[in-house]
Amino acid sequence: MAPDARRATLTRRVRSMGGRLVRRFGLLPAGTPDGLGQDDELVGRSWPYEVLVYFADTSEALYQIEQWYSTLEVLDAEHRVVVVTRDSRTAARVRAGSSLDVRTIAHYTTLDDVLARSSTKLALYVNHNPENFTCLRFGTLVHVSLMHGDSDKVVTVSNQTKAYDFSFVAGRAAVDRMARYATLYDAQARCIPVGRPQLDEQTAERERHRMLRTPDDLPTVLYAPTWEGGQRSAEYGSVASHGLAVVRALVESGRYRVLYRPHPLTGVRDASYGEADAAIRSYLDGLAPDRQAPGGWDGGGELATAFARADLLVCDVSGVAMDWLATGSPLVITRPAGPVAVARSPLTDLAPSLAAQDADGVVALVDRELGLDPTRAERLALREYYLGDTAPGAATAAFVEACERLFEVRDTELARIEAATQE
């Protein structure tokens, strides 16, 4: 071998070895899958799964799939489910947090090989990660977007939705939103309302917390803002524009306890959000640590638990607002500080809006909403429109039934294609 060829070969080997070491020791930049797959043990074999949940993200985005664990476990009891990741660290976290089977696949050719040998029928996705196209290419599956919440953010009418065969949505509101704002998209045919299975246990959780309340407890306001979004056009978050002023005003009124629950991605794109988040936490940490302390922050756990502790929600345009409707309690929605598009809806028209320049006036707004709740009847009427049937268990059952209907759709389509090729 010529010297130049030997040097080139050696360079490739060093780079390959270096890449493996970087992945093995977790030295990759945040958000980069480590690609440490189980490909060698999967190639040449079939698997028993009817449903594949494709999650290409790293652990920073686990909140998007975590909210689906319980629902997917119910589905798995009747139809085997596997979560496919591209990152071994994420796979370990999914295994630790759920009873679901997980496989890490680094190369799409491995998935191609396994699916060709298996009877997998349905692929589910909880976000619009561009890597989803690695799995979307397979025509033997029916592909369904679940997303990780319903909201009036423009992302819910993203053109990316067209990549999937169907979208499971919470209620009629999502169908109408897509029909109104999405171009060249048949929302009536491709959106399937299944409710919000994540809310099935919320009523019981709320009742447990109410039984622990005493007449002397201050009313609790939950401030649950969203993050700054992946780009300026999706910047609905209020942490930097409203956050500390809202929390301080409520606490210093002496009339309310404040529970602050920031979005887990707060500050990942815009440092000012991270700084504002730290300022709010620091302020709340400095308050008296007794039972009646007028504030605290929630670093994680089930959203239903935070909902159960609260009497009123202050939030941004986000999925949190929709889920809160199930509680029947009042809410206030912040107005984005920047020129961000909001898909106008019955809820954004109805709910009181709080602009950044009026953040100090939040106490009077909360006083009115908790004291009079002037829009209660209209808000309760919107609950089914946005969330479907909120009776415990109803949405989970609807989800499983919708998956089973799509199994039949898939089988019918494959039979049609096979017949066409034989003509």
Side-chain angles (χ1 to χ4, degrees):
M1 183 182 292
D4 287 347
R6 284 198 297 271
R7 281 196 296 271
T9 299
L10 179 61
T11 298
R12 285 195 297 271
R13 288 176 178 172
V14 169
R15 286 175 177 170
S16 177
M17 181 179 295
R20 287 197 296 271
L21 290 173
V22 165
R23 292 194 297 272
R24 178 65 63 188
F25 290 101
L27 301 177
L28 291 157
T32 303
D34 62 15
L36 295 174
Q38 300 166 273
D39 298 65
D40 289 345
E41 62 190 74
L42 291 173
V43 170
R45 301 182 181 182
S46 63
W47 62 21
Y49 306 106
E50 290 182 86
V51 181
L52 180 162
V53 181
Y54 196 75
F55 188 71
D57 282 85
T58 50
S59 56
E60 292 84 358
L62 271 171
Y63 71 94
Q64 297 173 345
I65 190 172
E66 284 173 337
Q67 64 177 259
W68 286 102
Y69 285 167
S70 296
T71 308
L72 293 171
E73 287 167 350
V74 172
L75 178 63
D76 181 60
E78 300 185 40
H79 305 281
R80 295 290 300 279
V81 174
V82 62
V83 178
V84 172
T85 76
R86 298 190 67 244
D87 182 85
S88 66
R89 301 160 297 180
T90 302
R93 293 276 298 275
V94 176
R95 290 188 186 100
S98 74
S99 63
L100 298 167
D101 287 350
V102 187
R103 300 289 183 269
T104 303
I105 297 179
H107 306 293
Y108 78 87
T109 52
T110 302
L111 192 57
D112 195 350
D113 182 82
V114 172
L115 291 177
R117 303 170 186 274
S118 307
S119 58
T120 307
K121 300 183 178 183
L122 189 64
L124 307 176
Y125 307 82
V126 299
N127 58 29
H128 286 324
N129 189 314
E131 285 294 330
N132 288 354
F133 277 91
T134 299
C135 188
L136 278 163
R137 62 187 291 270
F138 297 110
T140 57
L141 307 176
V142 172
H143 301 270
V144 179
S145 171
L146 304 182
M147 294 302 287
H148 47 277
D150 183 34
S151 75
D152 288 314
K153 290 182 178 180
V154 169
V155 67
T156 60
V157 293
S158 168
N159 213 43
Q160 292 165 293
T161 304
K162 298 175 185 177
Y164 309 92
D165 297 312
F166 298 95
S167 291
F168 283 179
V169 298
R172 188 69 210 174
V175 182
D176 290 347
R177 186 188 306 118
M178 284 298 297
R180 182 176 184 181
Y181 292 106
T183 60
L184 303 174
Y185 184 78
D186 188 349
Q188 309 301 329
R190 297 177 63 183
C191 292
I192 302 174
V194 297
R196 281 284 284 163
Q198 295 81 356
L199 304 179
D200 279 347
E201 297 181 5
Q202 183 169 285
T203 301
E205 182 74 14
R206 192 169 179 82
E207 186 59 30
R208 283 195 294 271
H209 277 267
R210 287 203 177 279
M211 290 177 65
L212 299 174
R213 300 283 292 270
T214 72
D216 295 330
D217 286 336
L218 294 172
T220 296
V221 175
L222 171 63
Y223 175 47
T226 191
W227 67 307
E228 60 269 28
Q231 57 277 336
R232 293 291 181 187
S233 61
E235 193 168 348
Y236 297 89
S238 64
V239 171
S241 57
H242 298 61
L244 186 58
V246 165
V247 170
R248 191 192 301 274
L250 289 167
V251 168
E252 294 181 0
S253 74
R255 298 200 289 278
Y256 301 107
R257 299 180 70 181
V258 177
L259 177 62
Y260 170 54
R261 183 187 170 94
H263 190 285
L265 294 183
T266 298
V268 299
R269 180 182 64 80
D270 188 334
S272 69
Y273 277 73
E275 293 164 1
D277 171 53
I280 295 170
R281 293 175 190 246
S282 177
Y283 172 75
L284 292 173
D285 285 342
L287 301 175
D290 60 275
R291 188 176 66 87
Q292 279 293 100
W297 56 274
D298 180 355
E302 295 292 333
L303 182 60
T305 302
F307 277 10
R309 297 168 60 187
D311 300 284
L312 179 142
L313 171 70
V314 177
C315 69
D316 307 329
V317 175
S318 72
V320 173
M322 306 302 179
D323 288 356
W324 178 260
L325 282 175
T327 71
S329 298
L331 78 161
V332 172
I333 299 178
T334 67
R335 187 181 306 161
V340 181
V342 177
R344 185 175 175 182
S345 73
L347 181 58
T348 57
D349 287 347
L350 178 69
S353 177
L354 182 67
Q357 62 268 26
D358 301 324
D360 291 338
V362 67
V363 175
L365 190 54
V366 170
D367 286 345
R368 185 192 74 188
E369 294 303 306
L370 279 177
L372 301 176
D373 198 359
T375 61
R376 177 176 173 78
E378 296 94 329
R379 191 176 62 250
L380 292 179
L382 287 178
R383 184 161 51 187
E384 182 176 356
Y385 177 62
Y386 275 97
L387 300 174
D389 189 348
T390 56
T396 299
F399 174 88
V400 173
E401 290 168 5
C403 289
E404 291 172 341
R405 289 198 303 273
L406 292 186
F407 293 163
E408 297 174 3
V409 169
R410 179 261 189 187
D411 291 345
T412 300
E413 280 295 291
L414 290 190
R416 178 188 65 78
I417 292 171
E418 183 178 359
T421 59
Q422 295 175 355
E423 291 179 353

